[in-house]
Amino acid sequence: MTIDERLSGPSDSEREWLRVRSHLIRHRFTLAVTAADDYPPDVRVAGTPLLADQRWLPPVPLPLDSIDLHLDVTGGARGLTGREQLSEPVRPLRANGTRYGTYSAAVAELAAPAVFNNLPTYRLLAADLSGGRGRMLFGRGRYFDALNVGEACAHEYAAHTLGLGGTPLRAAVAQPWDLTARSTNMAISTLTLRVDRTAGAASFLLHWRDPATVGHAGGLYQVIPVGVFQPSGTAPGNERNDFDLWRSSIREFSEELLGNPENYGSDLLPIDYDAWPFAARLNRARDRGQLRLFVLGMGTDPLTFATDLLTVAVFDAPMFDEVFGNLVTANNEGRVLSTLAAGSSGPGIAFSEQNVARIVRHEPTQAAGAALLALAWRHRDVLMA
């Protein structure tokens, strides 16, 4: 932005963009619920707004280590990029008459959250979780690639509900679960279950995502931890070293539940997960059966087209208490909620039909979190065995 533009303030186009952006942030939940009505019931996960290809939903929970990952670094970009002419309505004009090149560029200049970086990601290219084992194919991506289409479509939909035009970009995506239509970053959403086998009960944690600090799903409840599947840093050696669903989840447990910084020193050397005490402790718990990891499916948000792998980490209560004795109440993305409803056994919200129904049906919960909780309750006998 030039000095003249800073002195003159935002253009009329930018002010209108900011008005719609504010509407999107304040009404994400209701907009997502309404957007889901545009899709047939048979693509909705467990009756929630989350959308899924049927190949993304295994009939029973899959062990996390039964998912085979493949990385293809040879493929080029494909699908919509968010730079097409049909996206111009969500890319405002500056005071000098030039248009923002991407939706993320407008966010960065006009309404950047505290955490907003265009880091490398693993771009999801194909997935099938319908058999006894799962298979997922990834390429190279960037965080803003998905935002430039998905969050732009959310903005477009919010503008449409305000009577400000149609939804051509959304129409071009057509089926949000079509991974060839756009760049798709995959987040790993994990429901953390603490199982007290003596009491025969379980509890879980919830996260409230602060819209002032996050670029996606601000103002909504979500399971915890959640993180985009991506390398830990930009150095080349991290791409292969971090290409592992569990290693990605370990980092998120450390950051979101214990409040540890994301500085792993991987700009110099790849993370040595065997030597990292926190990772080694969790891996020992897996080996001893004190921690079990499952995949319940995958789905796409009907508003933003954000795509989440739905996983569950089942901790025996003593192990959870040992590892997360210093559980934080807030992190750099929002608040960690260990109480929302009465009747918990130990730390967390009681994993009960009443509480699950409340959060899934009656609270402003992100579609992926709602679907994950609903599926976890459906499969509770397997998860808590």
Side-chain angles (χ1 to χ4, degrees):
M1 184 179 290
T2 67
I3 293 176
D4 289 342
E5 288 170 333
R6 290 184 185 277
L7 291 175
S8 63
S11 67
D12 290 344
S13 179
E14 289 171 321
R15 278 192 287 270
E16 183 75 341
W17 184 95
L18 284 166
R19 183 172 78 89
V20 174
R21 178 77 182 168
S22 177
H23 178 72
L24 169 60
I25 291 172
R26 286 186 287 110
H27 299 285
R28 276 191 186 274
F29 177 69
T30 54
L31 288 169
V33 171
T34 303
D37 291 337
D38 292 340
Y39 302 96
D42 62 348
V43 300
R44 309 239 325 232
V45 180
T48 69
L50 195 70
L51 311 174
D53 184 306
Q54 290 305 306
R55 293 171 297 178
W56 294 359
L57 299 173
V60 296
L62 296 176
L64 184 69
D65 57 11
S66 71
I67 310 299
D68 298 321
L69 304 187
H70 305 271
L71 181 61
D72 179 5
V73 299
T74 63
R78 58 179 178 175
L80 294 167
T81 65
R83 295 174 173 83
E84 295 81 8
Q85 184 176 354
L86 54 79
S87 71
E88 286 185 356
V90 299
R91 295 186 286 115
L93 293 170
R94 300 179 178 88
N96 65 7
T98 62
R99 190 176 298 279
Y100 286 89
T102 61
Y103 187 80
S104 61
V107 173
E109 193 161 314
L110 299 174
V115 181
F116 197 67
N117 299 307
N118 192 26
L119 296 173
T121 65
Y122 302 111
R123 175 180 177 173
L124 182 62
L125 300 175
D128 189 341
L129 305 175
S130 60
R133 295 189 66 86
R135 183 179 184 276
M136 308 186 82
L137 174 65
F138 294 87
R140 287 173 172 155
R142 307 286 296 195
Y143 180 70
F144 288 176
D145 293 345
L147 206 72
N148 288 333
V149 176
E151 190 73 4
C153 281
H155 188 111
E156 180 188 65
Y157 188 81
H160 176 67
T161 64
L162 293 172
L164 299 176
T167 56
L169 184 59
R170 195 175 190 83
V173 172
Q175 296 179 325
W177 51 90
D178 179 2
L179 300 176
T180 67
R182 60 190 172 87
S183 181
T184 302
N185 292 330
M186 186 189 77
I188 303 173
S189 289
T190 302
L191 172 64
T192 302
L193 277 183
R194 175 189 181 273
V195 177
D196 185 337
R197 301 192 183 281
T198 302
S203 58
F204 64 96
L205 304 174
L206 209 59
H207 196 205
W208 180 78
R209 293 176 59 80
D210 188 345
T213 62
V214 297
H216 170 66
L220 302 183
Y221 291 122
Q222 174 61 307
V223 298
I224 186 171
V226 176
V228 173
F229 187 39
Q230 62 189 144
S232 59
T234 58
N238 297 316
E239 184 176 76
R240 291 287 180 181
N241 188 59
D242 297 328
F243 186 60
D244 182 280
L245 298 173
W246 175 231
R247 288 183 172 184
S248 181
S249 298
I250 289 173
R251 301 199 307 271
E252 296 301 329
F253 272 111
S254 174
E255 295 161 19
E256 296 194 2
L257 271 65
L258 295 178
N260 292 322
E262 298 183 27
N263 181 16
Y264 298 101
S266 57
D267 54 332
L268 301 175
L269 290 172
I271 300 171
D272 186 342
Y273 289 90
D274 293 330
W276 180 12
F278 178 73
R281 180 186 293 181
L282 291 183
N283 285 327
R284 284 196 301 272
R286 286 188 71 185
D287 293 341
R288 295 169 181 171
Q290 299 165 320
L291 166 61
R292 296 180 300 138
L293 306 165
F294 298 94
V295 173
L296 304 190
M298 188 170 70
T300 295
D301 188 276
L303 180 65
T304 65
F305 303 155
T307 300
D308 291 63
L309 186 69
L310 310 178
T311 72
V312 183
V314 183
F315 286 86
D316 286 353
M319 174 53 60
F320 180 91
D321 296 344
E322 175 190 331
V323 175
F324 300 111
N326 294 320
L327 180 72
V328 299
T329 58
N331 55 38
N332 64 1
E333 295 185 353
R335 298 197 307 270
V336 179
L337 306 177
S338 59
T339 57
L340 184 69
S344 293
S345 172
I349 301 161
F351 186 55
S352 67
E353 184 174 16
Q354 178 183 1
N355 287 343
V356 168
R358 173 185 170 181
I359 295 165
V360 170
R361 308 296 176 194
H362 304 295
E363 299 289 349
T365 304
Q366 190 176 337
L372 179 47
L373 275 166
L375 289 172
W377 185 253
R378 179 184 296 178
H379 296 298
R380 61 190 180 279
D381 290 343
V382 175
L383 300 178
M384 296 175 62

